Structures are given as C-alpha cells and as structure tokens.
Amino acid sequence: MRPLAVAALSLAIAACAAPPLRGTGDLGLVVERASGRVMLIETSGRSSLGRIEGLGDLSHASAVFSRDGRYAYVFGRDGGLTKVDLLRARIEHRVIQAGNSIGGAISQDGRVVAVANYTPGGVRLFDARTLEPLSEVPTGSKVVGIADAPGNRFVFSLFEAGEIWIVDASDPRQPQVRKITGVGKQPYDGFVTPNGRHYIAGLFGEDGLALVDLWAPEAGARRILGGYGRGEEPLPVYKMPHLRGWAVAGRYIFLPAIGRHEVLVLDSVNWTEAGRIAVHGQPVFAVAQPGARRVWVNFAFPNNGVVQVIDVPALKVVHELRPGRAVLHMEFTPRGEQAWVSSRDDGAVVVYDGASFAELARLAAESPSGIFLTSRAAMTGF
Amino acid sequence: MRPLAVAALSLAIAACAAPPLRGTGDLGLVVERASGRVMLIETSGRSSLGRIEGLGDLSHASAVFSRDGRYAYVFGRDGGLTKVDLLRARIEHRVIQAGNSIGGAISQDGRVVAVANYTPGGVRLFDARTLEPLSEVPTGSKVVGIADAPGNRFVFSLFEAGEIWIVDASDPRQPQVRKITGVGKQPYDGFVTPNGRHYIAGLFGEDGLALVDLWAPEAGARRILGGYGRGEEPLPVYKMPHLRGWAVAGRYIFLPAIGRHEVLVLDSVNWTEAGRIAVHGQPVFAVAQPGARRVWVNFAFPNNGVVQVIDVPALKVVHELRPGRAVLHMEFTPRGEQAWVSSRDDGAVVVYDGASFAELARLAAESPSGIFLTSRAAMTGF
C-alpha cells in the first residue's frame, strides 16, 4: 500500500474510533471531589465506564443534564461550569464564570443553563449548547436553592435579603424578574416540588419555611411550619441539611430538621406538620425512593456512617445500612430498583437493591460525593 | 491507490457508517398504523429521523422502552412483539407470540417484557435482551390494563372473570401470582398511578372503579365512585376510553367518562368524586401535562378533530385546539414544554408549545396513531 493510501486508511480508522453506540438513559456521574474529576457510571451493569479530569474544585459540586441525556453540566465551587460529553467521556466546554458558585439548573426547554453564585451574588444564564454567556441577574445577596420550574423559569432564594426571586428565561438575553420580598430570615436552601407547582425555602434565621405557589406567584410567600422548634434549644449544627433532596412521597414531604435528630413530615395537602420521626443523627438528605414507599436519610458528622430508611405508611425507621464512613449522597435509579450511595472516607460507591437492601456492587472512587443520573434530565426541579 | 488499498479503505469507511453518536433521551416513536411501520422522532429539533418497517399489524399498538433508552418494545395487535434499535433505526428482534395482544409492560429492573393477550387469554414474559420466552401466566380470560409496578410486578385485569392479578416477575421463569377476585363486572382497562402505589381499573359492566393499594394487596380491591352515573341513561359508546392515559395532576385524577361528554375528577386523597367537567365529546384520553397545571383531552368519533385543555385549578376547559381530523393520541415531553399530537386522517403529527399553544412543527406521517417517547423508560406504570 502506498503512503497516501495508508494515510487515508489510518484517517478513516481514526474517524472510526468513536465509542460504541449506546443509550444514555442509564448513565450518570459520580463527583470525585478531591481530584477535580468525575467518574462515568452506568446502572444496567452497575459499572464505571471511565473518568473525566480537569473540572476544577468540585467540593459541593452538582450537575444537571441536557434534554437528550448526552451532556452533563457540572457546577463547581470555584465558579467553573463544565459541559461533559458522556458518550465521548470528555469535556466539551468549560468556563469559569464567577468566584464562587453554589449550584445551577437547566431550563424546561433545555436551552439555558443558570448558575447561582455566592460571590458575586447573582445568577448567570448560559447557552446550553455553547456555554456562551447570555445575561446576568445581579442580586446583591448570596443566591441559594436555585431550581427550574415550568415556563422556563428559575426560582431561587437570597440569603441576606430574605427574598425569593422568579426569573422567566424564555428570552434568556432579557430575563424577566419577579421579586417576592420579606419571605423570612436567611433562607438557606430551597426546592421546587416534582410537579413544578411549589417552591419551598428553608429558613435559618427563624422557625418555619417559606412557601410560594408558582401558579399564583403574585400572592407572595406564605409561612408554613412556623411553630416548629419554638422554644426548644437546638443542637449545634454540624452541617446544613440539603433541601434539593427533600423528599416528596405521595402527599408527604420529608424534611431534614436543622440541628435536631429528626425528620419532619409536612402534609402537602394542607401544609401542616404531619409528624416527626426520630432518627440516628442530624439528617442531611432525606430522599424519597421512587415508588413513594420509603425515604432514605443520611447524616452529618459524627453520625455519618449510617443510612436510615423510613417506611412512609408507618412513618418510622425500618432499616439501617452502613455503606462506609462519611456517606455524602444517595441517588435512586428513576424507577427505584437501585440506590447508589457514596462513602467518601471509604472511597466507595455502593449500589443497593431498592427492595431487599442487598449490596449489588461496590465501586472504588476517590472521595466520592454527589451522584447524578441522566434521568434527572426529564425531571422538573432538579 | 491500488485495489487492495481501495478495498481496505472502503471497508474501513463502511465499518464507520455507524449512525452518529447521540443521546437517546429526546427520541421517540410514532406508530404509522396502516403500514406496519414506526417513525423515529426527536424532540430537540422536532424532526423525523427515519422509519422502521416490518412491524406487522399496528392497529392499537403501544410501546415501552429499555432502561437505557436505546430500544423500544412495540406490541402489535397481531401478537407481534418487536424490539427496535432506535440508534440504528432497525429491528433488533421480532417474535409473534400470540394471536391477539393488547399491550404490554417492562419490569422495574428492565429485564422482563410482559405481553398481555386477548386470545389466548394470558400474560407472557420475555427476556428483554433476546426476546426469549421465559414463562406464561394463563388466565382463561381477556387480559386488559397491564402495567408495571415496583418490585418487578405486573398488574392487570381479567375482563370476563372480573379479577385483578398481581404477578411478581422477580424470578421470571417462575412468576408468583396473587389473584384479587370479585373486583366488579368487566374491568376494561386499568393503570398504576405514577408513584406506583395504586392500581385502578375501570368497570364496563357496572358503575364505578376498582382500586387496589399495591402496598397492601392482601386487603383486596375497593370500589370507588360507585354512585357515578347511577340512574342516568348513557349515550352509545363510540370508543372505549383509555385509562393508561388517565391523568394524575397533583391530588386529582382526571378520568374520561364512558359514553358521556364529561371528564370526572377523582380526589386521590380520599378517593371521592371532586367534580365533573363538561367537554366537547366522549373523551378517549385525558393526559396530564407535566407540571400538573393542565389536562389535555381528545375525543371519540364524531367529535375527534378537537383537543380540549382543562385548567386544573379552575377545573374547566380553557383552550381548544384543532390539530386535524381523527386525533388519536397525545404525548408530552417529560418536562411538559411540548405536546405531540397525532391526526390520523390528516396524516400529521403536530407539535404544540405547552405554554402558548403555538404550533411548533407539523410532520407528515401515514395514519399516525400512538406516540411514545423514551422518557417513559424512567416512569412507573407506563
């Protein structure tokens, strides 16, 4: 074969060296926080498919997904926004967009990625395809609890200002902002219910939660569970609970209490307290297993080597797991047959059978924290 | 270039002729019922990607998806079960498994496909990878309303026998059957609520619905809405409503009434009637738009050129669309920003903006009926 032909053949083969065809519905990422990389996983065979490096500071990192499930958008603590191609296992785009970001969301139509920033306070909107910056919504306050809502809206809370803002990003170069003021002292996190109707922010500076009906935002915020904890002396708070993972199971919402060894149960029909469940430590995440029958809870230091499972009809703990030291996150496959749990200090991601609690797999990972599956692409409020 | 080199290059290029890499989260199928084929669609650009032929009799066909979103399992009326590779746009496997099938489901773990048969009555289980037959559950009665439920269970109704059966397919070669007898006369369809807890069957032979709590199946079935329609003279029934599409929007379930120009509203907290909504004709599907704010309804002949949109908080019709003649089906993208609607007699699939109702696209299709998106792979009860 002559050199030209060899070159042409090599080129053709190189062009061929694409990864094998595969669906993206069973893919996900595990954040390896200490090393600035993510591990690519798949849940059908429960295996690791590789690693993607160079994502910067991934402490407290989170991720959302493109509507086709091919790309992840990873929000790093250093303000880095990284678009990862899961099929090619490589970084597609990366921008450093602010000094200190705390999370993000993707619009209902999948065209806009929003990043929430502590420093400087505000929300920045990016083109989901190119990561080109589109606009900025300055807030003058730390932004927490950002979530997407129907109508290409983003909803978030302002920590110092005590406000909830709703940004309509239908025209992402000219976002429309609705401000709800006086929602309460120091909202520290918030979330949109899975049906996209309500936004709920937890308050650190006083008792209770702020509730906004996104079908009637002009009505403002309403205080719920205002009497909770009144007159009691809370424990020192080792770690703020995360509300993004607050669990909606049927009519009940399960809330990790701040500074208490309790999970609160909120009735979403009448927005009153439906119970309190004593648990092993200060809860961090309370996550509803799809199927709404069980809620899994992890805990703050020093009780963070345990996961407890709450039975929803009984409203009590029925099972306890010990995946390893420093359990940071839990993620269910979308139909609930598997639970993926990260143990940072044992360097493991443990996969459990969602029905029998049997350990199905244990993958080695370096200081794993957040676990994010592509099924989030199809969900509102993630 | 010498012949050998040319041959090698051609071979290399042919090996390369794999479809381009793409995510599967925005893919779907439209059944072209008259021609035994399906149209492959994608919802990001709202386009047709091609057609797959040779699926047999597709009248009344439906589809479920593999957990990775790559494969569709299409259930044909002639008993054909066809596994379609969406990435290669071709048939992967096909079996003729019975004389007359009426639908199917895929297990929670994605390993087992169940097909419900009219003739002979029964349910057959197949390996999702190979379509190898695994076992059979004979019923001696037409099987209707099959749906998956947590715990790798399949739930379905027996038309003549008036029973609801729950099959645990955790060991699919030896399925375990629980029979609930005396649920009512002639259950004609049924569905599992999105949270996987309840199975509801509609009754044709008497008033009301049969409700089973899958968390406590030993308690049997309970009659709900038993008084509905009592003493009233129903209209002739032009087409049985479909319950698979019954709409759960927040606490309400919207039910197409049989033989009446009404949609019933069922309160899922106390299982009582919460209202009736007058509509344009005899409803066939009532489908909740993700976001739970609106329910879209299509109709039986002769009123089948219209789609009406119900506002959930107002419990009334607020909008009307005319996509074309003989509207057979509606499917929403999982976050609700688009509605895909098939007009059989105008040979069109029409895509609407879920917020503004603007027509976004109109694709030519031959007698289109069912529309099925891969996002169903992540849902329980589809």
Side-chain angles (χ1 to χ4, degrees):
Chain A
M1 214 185 290
R2 284 181 303 182
L4 182 66
V6 172
L9 182 57
S10 305
L11 205 67
I13 290 170
C16 236
L21 281 186
R22 61 161 300 136
T24 51
D26 59 349
L27 296 179
L29 292 179
V30 176
V31 173
E32 296 190 304
R33 58 188 281 164
S35 38
R37 67 185 185 194
V38 289
M39 178 165 76
L40 179 62
I41 54 171
E42 58 81 30
T43 64
S44 295
R46 299 183 282 274
S47 69
S48 163
L49 297 175
R51 288 185 160 85
I52 299 115
E53 315 259 352
L55 280 78
D57 180 357
L58 293 184
S59 53
H60 215 279
S62 62
V64 298
F65 295 91
S66 62
R67 69 196 302 292
D68 63 0
R70 175 169 179 178
Y71 300 100
Y73 302 91
V74 180
F75 308 101
R77 190 51 172 260
D78 56 1
L81 167 61
T82 311
K83 181 177 180 180
V84 175
D85 182 343
L86 304 183
L87 288 176
R88 292 194 189 276
R90 70 180 190 197
I91 291 174
E92 182 88 4
H93 292 294
R94 175 168 162 80
V95 296
I96 300 290
Q97 57 83 43
N100 194 327
S101 87
I102 188 69
I106 187 164
S107 63
Q108 183 187 27
D109 65 8
R111 294 190 307 141
V112 180
V113 174
V115 186
N117 290 303
Y118 262 22
T119 323
V123 169
R124 292 187 179 178
L125 304 184
F126 295 85
D127 183 295
R129 199 169 52 80
T130 62
L131 298 194
E132 178 200 356
L134 298 173
S135 59
E136 185 170 358
V137 179
T139 58
S141 193
K142 282 192 194 72
V143 175
V144 296
I146 189 167
D148 64 280
N152 293 314
R153 291 180 295 177
F154 297 107
V155 192
F156 50 85
S157 298
L158 275 51
F159 182 77
E160 293 86 355
E163 300 183 359
I164 293 171
W165 288 17
I166 303 168
V167 171
D168 183 337
S170 297
D171 178 355
R173 292 188 185 274
Q174 297 192 307
Q176 303 300 309
V177 181
R178 178 194 288 271
K179 303 175 184 179
I180 301 174
T181 58
V183 306
K185 283 184 194 151
Q186 297 175 320
Y188 67 94
D189 201 358
F191 74 109
V192 166
T193 51
N195 67 9
R197 176 166 181 179
H198 294 101
Y199 180 82
I200 301 175
L203 301 176
F204 186 66
E206 57 187 301
D207 290 330
L209 308 157
L211 170 72
V212 174
D213 183 348
L214 297 172
W215 292 1
E218 65 281 0
R222 168 180 163 193
R223 184 69 53 86
I224 55 174
L225 296 193
Y228 173 71
R230 188 154 294 166
E232 297 176 31
E233 194 61 48
L235 300 170
V237 176
Y238 289 104
K239 183 173 169 61
M240 293 297 285
H242 283 253
L243 307 188
R244 183 65 56 98
W246 275 357
V248 178
R251 72 187 280 178
Y252 296 125
I253 303 178
F254 293 78
L255 313 172
I258 304 177
R260 298 172 198 282
H261 294 198
E262 281 177 355
V263 169
L264 304 183
V265 188
L266 175 62
D267 184 330
S268 71
V269 170
N270 53 27
W271 300 111
T272 58
E273 185 181 321
R276 301 178 189 189
I277 300 165
V279 290
H280 169 79
Q282 294 187 17
V284 176
F285 283 101
V287 185
Q289 184 173 5
R293 173 94 196 229
R294 291 169 175 160
V295 173
W296 296 39
V297 185
N298 72 337
F299 301 97
F301 179 85
N303 301 309
N304 58 354
V306 162
V307 170
Q308 285 191 319
V309 180
I310 292 170
D311 181 68
V312 170
L315 292 182
K316 65 177 188 190
V317 172
V318 293
H319 200 78
E320 194 169 291
L321 297 160
R322 295 185 177 268
R325 291 168 296 159
V327 172
L328 294 193
H329 201 220
M330 303 167 290
E331 176 92 337
F332 289 98
T333 50
R335 292 167 75 191
E337 77 281 8
Q338 297 173 24
W340 288 61
V341 180
S342 60
S343 160
R344 183 192 63 201
D345 294 351
D346 278 332
V349 175
V350 188
V351 187
Y352 290 101
D353 184 299
S356 70
F357 304 113
E359 186 176 314
L360 301 175
R362 181 173 284 259
L363 310 181
E366 202 174 291
S367 299
S369 55
I371 305 171
F372 304 94
L373 299 181
T374 55
S375 45
R376 291 178 174 236
M379 297 173 181
T380 295
F382 276 87
Chain B
M1 213 185 288
R2 284 181 302 181
L4 181 68
V6 172
L9 182 57
S10 304
L11 205 69
I13 290 171
C16 235
L21 280 187
R22 61 160 300 137
T24 50
D26 58 349
L27 296 179
L29 292 179
V30 176
V31 173
E32 297 190 303
R33 58 188 280 164
S35 38
R37 68 185 185 194
V38 290
M39 178 166 77
L40 179 62
I41 54 171
E42 58 81 28
T43 65
S44 295
R46 298 183 283 274
S47 69
S48 163
L49 297 175
R51 287 185 160 83
I52 299 114
E53 315 260 352
L55 281 78
D57 181 356
L58 293 183
S59 53
H60 216 279
S62 62
V64 298
F65 295 90
S66 62
R67 67 196 303 291
D68 63 0
R70 175 169 180 177
Y71 300 100
Y73 301 90
V74 180
F75 308 101
R77 189 53 171 261
D78 56 2
L81 167 60
T82 311
K83 181 176 180 180
V84 176
D85 182 343
L86 303 182
L87 287 176
R88 291 194 188 277
R90 70 179 188 197
I91 291 175
E92 182 88 4
H93 291 294
R94 176 167 162 80
V95 296
I96 300 291
Q97 57 83 40
N100 193 329
S101 87
I102 189 69
I106 187 164
S107 63
Q108 183 187 26
D109 65 9
R111 295 192 306 143
V112 180
V113 174
V115 186
N117 289 303
Y118 262 23
T119 323
V123 169
R124 291 186 180 179
L125 304 184
F126 295 86
D127 183 295
R129 199 169 53 82
T130 62
L131 297 194
E132 177 200 357
L134 298 173
S135 59
E136 185 169 357
V137 179
T139 58
S141 193
K142 283 192 193 74
V143 174
V144 297
I146 189 166
D148 65 278
N152 293 313
R153 291 180 294 177
F154 297 107
V155 192
F156 50 85
S157 298
L158 274 51
F159 182 77
E160 293 87 354
E163 299 182 357
I164 293 172
W165 289 16
I166 303 169
V167 170
D168 183 337
S170 297
D171 177 355
R173 292 188 186 274
Q174 297 192 308
Q176 303 300 309
V177 182
R178 177 193 288 271
K179 303 175 184 178
I180 301 174
T181 58
V183 307
K185 284 185 195 152
Q186 297 176 321
Y188 67 95
D189 201 358
F191 74 108
V192 166
T193 52
N195 66 9
R197 175 166 182 180
H198 294 100
Y199 180 82
I200 302 176
L203 301 175
F204 186 66
E206 57 187 302
D207 290 331
L209 308 158
L211 170 72
V212 174
D213 182 349
L214 297 172
W215 291 1
E218 65 283 358
R222 165 180 165 194
R223 184 69 53 87
I224 55 173
L225 295 194
Y228 173 72
R230 188 153 294 165
E232 294 176 33
E233 194 62 46
L235 300 170
V237 176
Y238 289 104
K239 185 172 168 61
M240 293 298 285
H242 282 255
L243 307 189
R244 184 63 56 97
W246 274 356
V248 177
R251 71 188 280 179
Y252 296 125
I253 303 178
F254 293 77
L255 313 172
I258 304 177
R260 299 172 197 282
H261 293 197
E262 282 178 356
V263 169
L264 305 183
V265 188
L266 174 63
D267 184 330
S268 71
V269 170
N270 53 27
W271 300 110
T272 57
E273 185 181 319
R276 302 178 188 190
I277 301 165
V279 290
H280 169 79
Q282 293 188 16
V284 176
F285 283 102
V287 185
Q289 183 172 4
R293 173 90 197 235
R294 291 169 175 159
V295 173
W296 296 40
V297 185
N298 73 337
F299 301 97
F301 179 84
N303 301 309
N304 57 354
V306 162
V307 170
Q308 286 192 319
V309 180
I310 292 169
D311 182 68
V312 170
L315 291 182
K316 67 178 185 188
V317 172
V318 293
H319 199 77
E320 193 169 291
L321 297 160
R322 296 187 177 269
R325 291 168 296 159
V327 173
L328 295 193
H329 202 218
M330 303 168 289
E331 176 92 338
F332 289 98
T333 50
R335 292 166 75 192
E337 77 280 9
Q338 298 173 25
W340 288 62
V341 180
S342 60
S343 160
R344 183 192 62 200
D345 294 351
D346 277 333
V349 174
V350 188
V351 187
Y352 291 101
D353 184 300
S356 70
F357 304 113
E359 185 177 313
L360 301 174
R362 181 172 285 258
L363 311 181
E366 203 173 288
S367 299
S369 54
I371 305 171
F372 304 94
L373 299 181
T374 55
S375 45
R376 290 178 175 236
M379 297 174 181
T380 295
F382 276 86

